[in-house]
Amino acid sequence: LQPVRTVHVLRAKVTSPDRYPRGIFLFNTWQQYGDGRTRTRNGLLSEKLTTAEMPLEENLHEVCRRAVTEEEMQRVVESTMKIGPGRPAPTYDPSYKCPLEVVSEHFVDHIIELEPSKSYPG
């Protein structure tokens, strides 16, 4: 037997009510780490789910709210913002509140990712 790691992942099309009918949504093209490194993503916004958030259908609004306001879009800055030498990451501000709000959500599907466990070889 081979132990596996199971991860439930939500992939979401994030949009606004006036953009949804036209099929316009956010697309995650790249990610920048706190040390300035970047990586290409080119995919929908995605969020790993906790076991407490399963079944997803019963927790969809809270998962979407967490993913948008605390994770993927936690900090909203100008599109020209870039971290690098002489350009430090914004300092943590515990009073900052993400200006985005989840108005509604519609469940379509989610995926389950399976991979051999690296921390427990069996």
Side-chain angles (χ1 to χ4, degrees), residues 6 8 12 16 23 30-31 52 57 61 68 74 76-77 80 82 84 92 95 100-101 105 107 111 115 119 121:
T6 304
H8 294 262
S16 61
W30 59 277
Q31 175 182 8
E57 295 86 340
H61 181 78
V68 170
Q74 187 274 334
V76 178
V77 297
T80 56
K82 190 166 185 173
Y92 176 70
S95 65
L100 305 177
E101 178 185 355
E105 58 285 323
F107 178 77
I111 64 165
E115 65 181 36
S119 60

Side-chain angles (χ1 to χ4, degrees), residues 1 8 16 22 26 34 37 41 43 52-53 55 58 69 72 76-77 79 81 83 97 104 110 115:
L1 290 176
H8 294 262
S16 61
R22 298 185 351 217
L26 295 178
R37 290 178 300 127
R41 297 290 304 256
E53 294 169 331
E58 295 175 14
T69 64
E72 299 292 333
V76 178
V77 297
S79 63
M81 167 70 170
I83 300 167
K97 183 178 182 314
S104 66
H110 84 284
E115 65 181 36

